Amino acid sequence: MEILAILIPVSLGLGAAGLAAFIWALRGRQYDDPKGDAERILRKDWDEHPKP
Amino acid sequence: MSDASLHDARLSACPACDAAPLARQLADRAGAVQPDLILSLPTIHCATCISDVEGALRRHSGVRDARVNLTLRRVTVDAPGLEAQELINVVERAGYEAHELDPAALSASVADRQGRDILMRIGVSGFAMMNIMILSVAVWSGAEAATRDMFHFISGAIALPTVAFAGQPFFSSAWRSLRAGRLGMDVPISLALILASAISVFETIYSGHHAYFDAAVMLCFFLLIGRYLDYRTRAVARSAAEELTALEVPRAFRITPSGDEAVPIADLVPGDLIRLRPGARVPADGEIVQGTSDIDRSLLTGESIPVPAAPGMALSAGEGNLTGQMIMRVTAAGRDSSLARLTALVAAAESARGRYTSLAERASRLYSPMVHLLAFASFLGWFWVTRDLRHAVNIAAAVLIITCPCALGLAVPTVVTAASGRLFRRGLLIKDGTALERLAEVDTVVFDKTGTLTMGVPQLVSLDPLPVALRPFALVLAQGSSHPLAQALAQAVLKDGVSAAQVTDLRELPGDGVSALAKGVPIRLGRAEWLGASHGDATLSASWFQMGDSPAIRLEFADRLRPGAKDCVAQILQSGRRVLLLSGDAPPVVRDLADRLEIKDWRAGISPQGKAEAVRALSDQGQKVLMVGDGLNDTAALSVAHVSLSPASALDAARTASDMVMLGNDLAPVAEALAVARRARSRIKENFGISILYNIVAVPFAILGFATPLMAALAMSLSSISVTLNALRLR
């Protein structure tokens, strides 16, 4: 059962990482325009070179 | 931090990289100076549209940045010192329709913050729930002694802060309703959350078998989803309603010694001279000082025929100026204008409507005392039988958790979201949360005529009275005016394949008509008196055409039906509901329309108060009335009716008074909305049935003391999922 000492912190850490990513995305207004973001990836504007 | 850096942060390509602290700051600053321009783009729909609009705007000099929001169909432009009109032209040249939005009328940042707040709580409780579930699975599959206690401790360490954070909306709402002396749905929820957490902490410390940490967090998670759906429905409706309001940027052109200046309508004072351009709406009450024109009163009185206007005539706010430019002196503005007086009438009517008790409220009124009684009775029963306080509290907590209204909390919001989403795609916007339920009860539909069943746009009845040889001359005259009758004539003649004749000296005499010289012969198109003819007591509006000295030819116009009107009325009649037509227009016109639509009950020449009285009389007879209207004269009736609907072309006041707004021109969604509302109501009732069924099965186990945390988790998730699936059948 010693393995639990590693597994539990790891699972909690992964959960915390997921939560942090979610909060980061939410704070970054990434949920403001879901439709627009889905379409933006199809644009050809910056295919040749990255956006300045 | 300067303003510029704030906006750069919002509009940069990767707002997330630097916006976290700025976003909140920005939200706090809402209401401060807003130099960004917001344009509404109703026609954009794809990736190319985004590129086109953003590209066109960025290439325009003076524009620092532009970002399209496809979900809201808006573009936010950072262009200090530029006028909205200039940007609208840029976007229109790129091939997209654009309208200016008044940023002050869009309180988006406040609403956004509320939505993000609930989303954040859902996220936190969701992640906490998953982690606790992993630990709980170990406990359910037989972890024992020290391992079980450790797992309980870790679960508690995650669950307690989560419940404290994610449960806040329920705690605060429960506290509010308790202070008001009511038992809302949130009281048993809060009690279950607190009791479950407390008993689990106690059990964990004394190494008991059952801890309900997972149930407490799961409860938060599911109920927050219900809250969020509820919020979303209201937010979508509100933002679209705000957009309709924001589209009318209310400005008037005041005449000052240094030229005209555009001022907000709120700044007008009696005595101001303002210029009325053709096509503009009258911003305040006043008197014409100079100029002649025709006035469209249809939104105020329901009259479909424009009235000629000349100096000395009184104008009311809300009337439309059609043909000529005029100068008017303001006699009453803002709160004193006739528009505001009608609004007061609406406010009085609204307070008389009485509050509607929603299905959810009725359910919770029955449910809350039941839950408390059950839990308390099982506590007393077990304590009396076993004299074991710990066991009795455990049982009471289990009963509270099992009965807790996860499914009940989702039953209404999921159905309303699915139904309003479906109606929104058909162009119907639901502004009020209970409107769908009220719509389901409707048995009588009352229509207004002008602007509702008809477009408020005239159409030539027949081209036959006009000899073929004269048609090119009639066309050239008609094209010279922006009067609706002239436009309708031009349209009809053009459709016939006629091209315009050559004329000289084309002149428009506002209020009278248009005249010109065709090879030296005077030709005229206009109202009867001007051409020496008499309109008589004819039922239809008419325009007259005269060439030289020959007798004038009468051209009749009828109001054009709104598309889908005939089908809509037929479907409503077929569904067994009563249809009524109430109009402020003259009887013959109304009779003609009623015959065309096969409406048997109609009344003409009714005043605004009369309409409200008629609707109230119907309600007093126990009928549930759906009022459909667009004008100021309908506003009072709209607010008296059980549920009300107005087209997007309606006046602001009418849209505000109604529960639903029709975004398209087509009237067909109205009949569909009635059907969808009925189905939605039966789905809600089915959902209540499902949650009660789960309770009937699970509660006896809980009361008898056989309930385990595993059972609570299963009942909760299964009932929530089945309720949601049932609601999704509506889509």
Side-chain angles (χ1 to χ4, degrees), chain B residues 514-541:
Chain B
V514 200
S515 72
L517 289 176
K519 291 173 194 143
V521 184
I523 50 173
R524 296 193 288 175
L525 174 75
R527 63 193 182 88
E529 289 78 8
W530 186 52
L531 293 167
S534 140
H535 188 70
D537 53 355
T539 63
L540 298 169
S541 47

PDB file of all heavy atoms in Angstrom, chain B residues 514-541:
ATOM      1  N   VAL B 514     -45.707  64.811 -56.460  1.00  0.00           N
ATOM      2  CA  VAL B 514     -44.575  65.046 -57.348  1.00  0.00           C
ATOM      3  C   VAL B 514     -45.111  65.580 -58.672  1.00  0.00           C
ATOM      4  O   VAL B 514     -46.152  65.144 -59.147  1.00  0.00           O
ATOM      5  CB  VAL B 514     -43.821  63.719 -57.630  1.00  0.00           C
ATOM      6  CG1 VAL B 514     -42.420  64.014 -58.127  1.00  0.00           C
ATOM      7  CG2 VAL B 514     -43.776  62.844 -56.411  1.00  0.00           C
ATOM      8  N   SER B 515     -44.378  66.528 -59.257  1.00  0.00           N
ATOM      9  CA  SER B 515     -44.805  67.013 -60.563  1.00  0.00           C
ATOM     10  C   SER B 515     -43.606  67.096 -61.484  1.00  0.00           C
ATOM     11  O   SER B 515     -42.466  67.133 -61.037  1.00  0.00           O
ATOM     12  CB  SER B 515     -45.461  68.389 -60.440  1.00  0.00           C
ATOM     13  OG  SER B 515     -44.458  69.344 -60.165  1.00  0.00           O
ATOM     14  N   ALA B 516     -43.879  67.111 -62.795  1.00  0.00           N
ATOM     15  CA  ALA B 516     -42.803  67.220 -63.780  1.00  0.00           C
ATOM     16  C   ALA B 516     -43.396  67.682 -65.095  1.00  0.00           C
ATOM     17  O   ALA B 516     -44.621  67.794 -65.228  1.00  0.00           O
ATOM     18  CB  ALA B 516     -42.110  65.875 -63.952  1.00  0.00           C
ATOM     19  N   LEU B 517     -42.552  67.962 -66.063  1.00  0.00           N
ATOM     20  CA  LEU B 517     -43.003  68.325 -67.401  1.00  0.00           C
ATOM     21  C   LEU B 517     -42.548  67.250 -68.370  1.00  0.00           C
ATOM     22  O   LEU B 517     -41.361  66.910 -68.414  1.00  0.00           O
ATOM     23  CB  LEU B 517     -42.397  69.672 -67.818  1.00  0.00           C
ATOM     24  CG  LEU B 517     -42.936  70.921 -67.101  1.00  0.00           C
ATOM     25  CD1 LEU B 517     -42.166  72.146 -67.546  1.00  0.00           C
ATOM     26  CD2 LEU B 517     -44.423  71.094 -67.389  1.00  0.00           C
ATOM     27  N   ALA B 518     -43.502  66.678 -69.113  1.00  0.00           N
ATOM     28  CA  ALA B 518     -43.163  65.693 -70.125  1.00  0.00           C
ATOM     29  C   ALA B 518     -43.427  66.320 -71.483  1.00  0.00           C
ATOM     30  O   ALA B 518     -44.585  66.491 -71.867  1.00  0.00           O
ATOM     31  CB  ALA B 518     -43.982  64.426 -69.945  1.00  0.00           C
ATOM     32  N   LYS B 519     -42.383  66.664 -72.185  1.00  0.00           N
ATOM     33  CA  LYS B 519     -42.487  67.368 -73.476  1.00  0.00           C
ATOM     34  C   LYS B 519     -43.431  68.556 -73.356  1.00  0.00           C
ATOM     35  O   LYS B 519     -44.308  68.771 -74.185  1.00  0.00           O
ATOM     36  CB  LYS B 519     -42.982  66.412 -74.566  1.00  0.00           C
ATOM     37  CG  LYS B 519     -41.951  65.354 -74.901  1.00  0.00           C
ATOM     38  CD  LYS B 519     -42.520  64.328 -75.850  1.00  0.00           C
ATOM     39  CE  LYS B 519     -41.652  63.098 -75.929  1.00  0.00           C
ATOM     40  NZ  LYS B 519     -42.438  61.862 -76.058  1.00  0.00           N
ATOM     41  N   GLY B 520     -43.304  69.308 -72.277  1.00  0.00           N
ATOM     42  CA  GLY B 520     -44.096  70.507 -72.094  1.00  0.00           C
ATOM     43  C   GLY B 520     -45.438  70.278 -71.436  1.00  0.00           C
ATOM     44  O   GLY B 520     -46.092  71.232 -71.025  1.00  0.00           O
ATOM     45  N   VAL B 521     -45.894  69.019 -71.344  1.00  0.00           N
ATOM     46  CA  VAL B 521     -47.185  68.754 -70.705  1.00  0.00           C
ATOM     47  C   VAL B 521     -46.955  68.486 -69.211  1.00  0.00           C
ATOM     48  O   VAL B 521     -46.120  67.655 -68.865  1.00  0.00           O
ATOM     49  CB  VAL B 521     -47.865  67.521 -71.345  1.00  0.00           C
ATOM     50  CG1 VAL B 521     -49.258  67.315 -70.747  1.00  0.00           C
ATOM     51  CG2 VAL B 521     -47.935  67.677 -72.852  1.00  0.00           C
ATOM     52  N   PRO B 522     -47.644  69.178 -68.312  1.00  0.00           N
ATOM     53  CA  PRO B 522     -47.445  68.917 -66.887  1.00  0.00           C
ATOM     54  C   PRO B 522     -48.050  67.575 -66.486  1.00  0.00           C
ATOM     55  O   PRO B 522     -49.172  67.253 -66.869  1.00  0.00           O
ATOM     56  CB  PRO B 522     -48.169  70.088 -66.204  1.00  0.00           C
ATOM     57  CG  PRO B 522     -49.163  70.570 -67.205  1.00  0.00           C
ATOM     58  CD  PRO B 522     -48.617  70.267 -68.560  1.00  0.00           C
ATOM     59  N   ILE B 523     -47.277  66.779 -65.744  1.00  0.00           N
ATOM     60  CA  ILE B 523     -47.816  65.537 -65.179  1.00  0.00           C
ATOM     61  C   ILE B 523     -47.659  65.606 -63.662  1.00  0.00           C
ATOM     62  O   ILE B 523     -46.683  66.159 -63.155  1.00  0.00           O
ATOM     63  CB  ILE B 523     -47.123  64.272 -65.741  1.00  0.00           C
ATOM     64  CG1 ILE B 523     -45.592  64.416 -65.642  1.00  0.00           C
ATOM     65  CG2 ILE B 523     -47.545  63.991 -67.153  1.00  0.00           C
ATOM     66  CD1 ILE B 523     -44.860  63.164 -66.004  1.00  0.00           C
ATOM     67  N   ARG B 524     -48.646  65.064 -62.976  1.00  0.00           N
ATOM     68  CA  ARG B 524     -48.619  65.137 -61.514  1.00  0.00           C
ATOM     69  C   ARG B 524     -49.057  63.818 -60.883  1.00  0.00           C
ATOM     70  O   ARG B 524     -49.906  63.113 -61.418  1.00  0.00           O
ATOM     71  CB  ARG B 524     -49.544  66.259 -61.028  1.00  0.00           C
ATOM     72  CG  ARG B 524     -49.082  67.632 -61.483  1.00  0.00           C
ATOM     73  CD  ARG B 524     -49.803  68.727 -60.765  1.00  0.00           C
ATOM     74  NE  ARG B 524     -51.188  68.857 -61.205  1.00  0.00           N
ATOM     75  CZ  ARG B 524     -52.056  69.698 -60.640  1.00  0.00           C
ATOM     76  NH1 ARG B 524     -51.671  70.455 -59.621  1.00  0.00           N
ATOM     77  NH2 ARG B 524     -53.300  69.785 -61.076  1.00  0.00           N
ATOM     78  N   LEU B 525     -48.438  63.516 -59.742  1.00  0.00           N
ATOM     79  CA  LEU B 525     -48.811  62.326 -58.973  1.00  0.00           C
ATOM     80  C   LEU B 525     -48.897  62.768 -57.525  1.00  0.00           C
ATOM     81  O   LEU B 525     -47.944  63.344 -56.992  1.00  0.00           O
ATOM     82  CB  LEU B 525     -47.745  61.235 -59.126  1.00  0.00           C
ATOM     83  CG  LEU B 525     -47.924  59.980 -58.281  1.00  0.00           C
ATOM     84  CD1 LEU B 525     -49.028  59.099 -58.826  1.00  0.00           C
ATOM     85  CD2 LEU B 525     -46.627  59.181 -58.236  1.00  0.00           C
ATOM     86  N   GLY B 526     -50.054  62.557 -56.882  1.00  0.00           N
ATOM     87  CA  GLY B 526     -50.133  63.009 -55.502  1.00  0.00           C
ATOM     88  C   GLY B 526     -51.499  62.772 -54.911  1.00  0.00           C
ATOM     89  O   GLY B 526     -52.272  61.942 -55.400  1.00  0.00           O
ATOM     90  N   ARG B 527     -51.792  63.547 -53.843  1.00  0.00           N
ATOM     91  CA  ARG B 527     -53.049  63.278 -53.153  1.00  0.00           C
ATOM     92  C   ARG B 527     -54.211  63.949 -53.863  1.00  0.00           C
ATOM     93  O   ARG B 527     -54.037  64.867 -54.669  1.00  0.00           O
ATOM     94  CB  ARG B 527     -52.959  63.712 -51.693  1.00  0.00           C
ATOM     95  CG  ARG B 527     -52.737  65.172 -51.476  1.00  0.00           C
ATOM     96  CD  ARG B 527     -52.341  65.419 -50.040  1.00  0.00           C
ATOM     97  NE  ARG B 527     -52.168  66.834 -49.806  1.00  0.00           N
ATOM     98  CZ  ARG B 527     -53.163  67.633 -49.445  1.00  0.00           C
ATOM     99  NH1 ARG B 527     -54.372  67.152 -49.271  1.00  0.00           N
ATOM    100  NH2 ARG B 527     -52.931  68.919 -49.260  1.00  0.00           N
ATOM    101  N   ALA B 528     -55.432  63.487 -53.551  1.00  0.00           N
ATOM    102  CA  ALA B 528     -56.627  63.841 -54.301  1.00  0.00           C
ATOM    103  C   ALA B 528     -56.851  65.350 -54.360  1.00  0.00           C
ATOM    104  O   ALA B 528     -57.047  65.921 -55.436  1.00  0.00           O
ATOM    105  CB  ALA B 528     -57.838  63.147 -53.675  1.00  0.00           C
ATOM    106  N   GLU B 529     -56.798  66.032 -53.212  1.00  0.00           N
ATOM    107  CA  GLU B 529     -57.141  67.447 -53.150  1.00  0.00           C
ATOM    108  C   GLU B 529     -56.227  68.280 -54.049  1.00  0.00           C
ATOM    109  O   GLU B 529     -56.638  69.255 -54.666  1.00  0.00           O
ATOM    110  CB  GLU B 529     -57.052  67.965 -51.708  1.00  0.00           C
ATOM    111  CG  GLU B 529     -58.153  67.438 -50.786  1.00  0.00           C
ATOM    112  CD  GLU B 529     -57.905  66.018 -50.328  1.00  0.00           C
ATOM    113  OE1 GLU B 529     -56.806  65.489 -50.592  1.00  0.00           O
ATOM    114  OE2 GLU B 529     -58.821  65.406 -49.734  1.00  0.00           O
ATOM    115  N   TRP B 530     -54.971  67.893 -54.109  1.00  0.00           N
ATOM    116  CA  TRP B 530     -53.982  68.627 -54.891  1.00  0.00           C
ATOM    117  C   TRP B 530     -54.303  68.551 -56.383  1.00  0.00           C
ATOM    118  O   TRP B 530     -54.028  69.470 -57.141  1.00  0.00           O
ATOM    119  CB  TRP B 530     -52.600  68.019 -54.596  1.00  0.00           C
ATOM    120  CG  TRP B 530     -51.454  68.736 -55.217  1.00  0.00           C
ATOM    121  CD1 TRP B 530     -51.168  70.067 -55.147  1.00  0.00           C
ATOM    122  CD2 TRP B 530     -50.415  68.156 -56.009  1.00  0.00           C
ATOM    123  NE1 TRP B 530     -50.029  70.352 -55.822  1.00  0.00           N
ATOM    124  CE2 TRP B 530     -49.536  69.185 -56.363  1.00  0.00           C
ATOM    125  CE3 TRP B 530     -50.136  66.860 -56.430  1.00  0.00           C
ATOM    126  CZ2 TRP B 530     -48.395  68.966 -57.125  1.00  0.00           C
ATOM    127  CZ3 TRP B 530     -49.003  66.642 -57.189  1.00  0.00           C
ATOM    128  CH2 TRP B 530     -48.139  67.685 -57.535  1.00  0.00           C
ATOM    129  N   LEU B 531     -54.891  67.436 -56.809  1.00  0.00           N
ATOM    130  CA  LEU B 531     -55.190  67.242 -58.215  1.00  0.00           C
ATOM    131  C   LEU B 531     -56.642  67.593 -58.521  1.00  0.00           C
ATOM    132  O   LEU B 531     -57.154  67.288 -59.580  1.00  0.00           O
ATOM    133  CB  LEU B 531     -54.920  65.784 -58.613  1.00  0.00           C
ATOM    134  CG  LEU B 531     -53.447  65.401 -58.559  1.00  0.00           C
ATOM    135  CD1 LEU B 531     -53.265  63.910 -58.644  1.00  0.00           C
ATOM    136  CD2 LEU B 531     -52.712  66.066 -59.704  1.00  0.00           C
ATOM    137  N   GLY B 532     -57.339  68.188 -57.560  1.00  0.00           N
ATOM    138  CA  GLY B 532     -58.712  68.606 -57.782  1.00  0.00           C
ATOM    139  C   GLY B 532     -59.685  67.440 -57.812  1.00  0.00           C
ATOM    140  O   GLY B 532     -60.800  67.571 -58.287  1.00  0.00           O
ATOM    141  N   ALA B 533     -59.283  66.267 -57.310  1.00  0.00           N
ATOM    142  CA  ALA B 533     -60.202  65.133 -57.247  1.00  0.00           C
ATOM    143  C   ALA B 533     -60.670  64.998 -55.805  1.00  0.00           C
ATOM    144  O   ALA B 533     -60.202  65.705 -54.922  1.00  0.00           O
ATOM    145  CB  ALA B 533     -59.502  63.863 -57.702  1.00  0.00           C
ATOM    146  N   SER B 534     -61.605  64.100 -55.569  1.00  0.00           N
ATOM    147  CA  SER B 534     -62.072  63.927 -54.203  1.00  0.00           C
ATOM    148  C   SER B 534     -61.841  62.481 -53.771  1.00  0.00           C
ATOM    149  O   SER B 534     -62.111  61.535 -54.514  1.00  0.00           O
ATOM    150  CB  SER B 534     -63.556  64.294 -54.127  1.00  0.00           C
ATOM    151  OG  SER B 534     -64.216  63.397 -53.289  1.00  0.00           O
ATOM    152  N   HIS B 535     -61.326  62.300 -52.565  1.00  0.00           N
ATOM    153  CA  HIS B 535     -61.022  60.959 -52.095  1.00  0.00           C
ATOM    154  C   HIS B 535     -62.299  60.216 -51.727  1.00  0.00           C
ATOM    155  O   HIS B 535     -62.350  58.993 -51.790  1.00  0.00           O
ATOM    156  CB  HIS B 535     -60.096  61.046 -50.873  1.00  0.00           C
ATOM    157  CG  HIS B 535     -59.581  59.722 -50.432  1.00  0.00           C
ATOM    158  ND1 HIS B 535     -58.668  59.008 -51.182  1.00  0.00           N
ATOM    159  CD2 HIS B 535     -59.839  58.974 -49.339  1.00  0.00           C
ATOM    160  CE1 HIS B 535     -58.399  57.880 -50.558  1.00  0.00           C
ATOM    161  NE2 HIS B 535     -59.092  57.828 -49.437  1.00  0.00           N
ATOM    162  N   GLY B 536     -63.342  60.998 -51.379  1.00  0.00           N
ATOM    163  CA  GLY B 536     -64.609  60.365 -51.020  1.00  0.00           C
ATOM    164  C   GLY B 536     -64.461  59.547 -49.753  1.00  0.00           C
ATOM    165  O   GLY B 536     -63.563  59.768 -48.946  1.00  0.00           O
ATOM    166  N   ASP B 537     -65.358  58.552 -49.578  1.00  0.00           N
ATOM    167  CA  ASP B 537     -65.260  57.741 -48.365  1.00  0.00           C
ATOM    168  C   ASP B 537     -64.719  56.366 -48.706  1.00  0.00           C
ATOM    169  O   ASP B 537     -65.145  55.352 -48.173  1.00  0.00           O
ATOM    170  CB  ASP B 537     -66.615  57.648 -47.661  1.00  0.00           C
ATOM    171  CG  ASP B 537     -67.701  57.178 -48.613  1.00  0.00           C
ATOM    172  OD1 ASP B 537     -67.382  57.023 -49.816  1.00  0.00           O
ATOM    173  OD2 ASP B 537     -68.831  56.958 -48.159  1.00  0.00           O
ATOM    174  N   ALA B 538     -63.755  56.353 -49.624  1.00  0.00           N
ATOM    175  CA  ALA B 538     -63.175  55.077 -50.050  1.00  0.00           C
ATOM    176  C   ALA B 538     -62.453  54.409 -48.884  1.00  0.00           C
ATOM    177  O   ALA B 538     -62.004  55.068 -47.962  1.00  0.00           O
ATOM    178  CB  ALA B 538     -62.210  55.316 -51.201  1.00  0.00           C
ATOM    179  N   THR B 539     -62.363  53.082 -48.938  1.00  0.00           N
ATOM    180  CA  THR B 539     -61.778  52.342 -47.825  1.00  0.00           C
ATOM    181  C   THR B 539     -60.269  52.238 -47.940  1.00  0.00           C
ATOM    182  O   THR B 539     -59.584  52.065 -46.947  1.00  0.00           O
ATOM    183  CB  THR B 539     -62.323  50.908 -47.787  1.00  0.00           C
ATOM    184  OG1 THR B 539     -61.910  50.260 -48.997  1.00  0.00           O
ATOM    185  CG2 THR B 539     -63.823  50.906 -47.692  1.00  0.00           C
ATOM    186  N   LEU B 540     -59.762  52.345 -49.156  1.00  0.00           N
ATOM    187  CA  LEU B 540     -58.335  52.121 -49.337  1.00  0.00           C
ATOM    188  C   LEU B 540     -57.604  53.432 -49.516  1.00  0.00           C
ATOM    189  O   LEU B 540     -58.167  54.403 -50.020  1.00  0.00           O
ATOM    190  CB  LEU B 540     -58.098  51.232 -50.561  1.00  0.00           C
ATOM    191  CG  LEU B 540     -58.700  49.837 -50.467  1.00  0.00           C
ATOM    192  CD1 LEU B 540     -58.634  49.150 -51.817  1.00  0.00           C
ATOM    193  CD2 LEU B 540     -57.970  49.030 -49.420  1.00  0.00           C
ATOM    194  N   SER B 541     -56.346  53.483 -49.118  1.00  0.00           N
ATOM    195  CA  SER B 541     -55.561  54.674 -49.375  1.00  0.00           C
ATOM    196  C   SER B 541     -55.294  54.734 -50.877  1.00  0.00           C
ATOM    197  O   SER B 541     -55.176  53.713 -51.545  1.00  0.00           O
ATOM    198  CB  SER B 541     -54.264  54.640 -48.588  1.00  0.00           C
ATOM    199  OG  SER B 541     -53.650  53.394 -48.717  1.00  0.00           O
TER     200      SER B 541
END
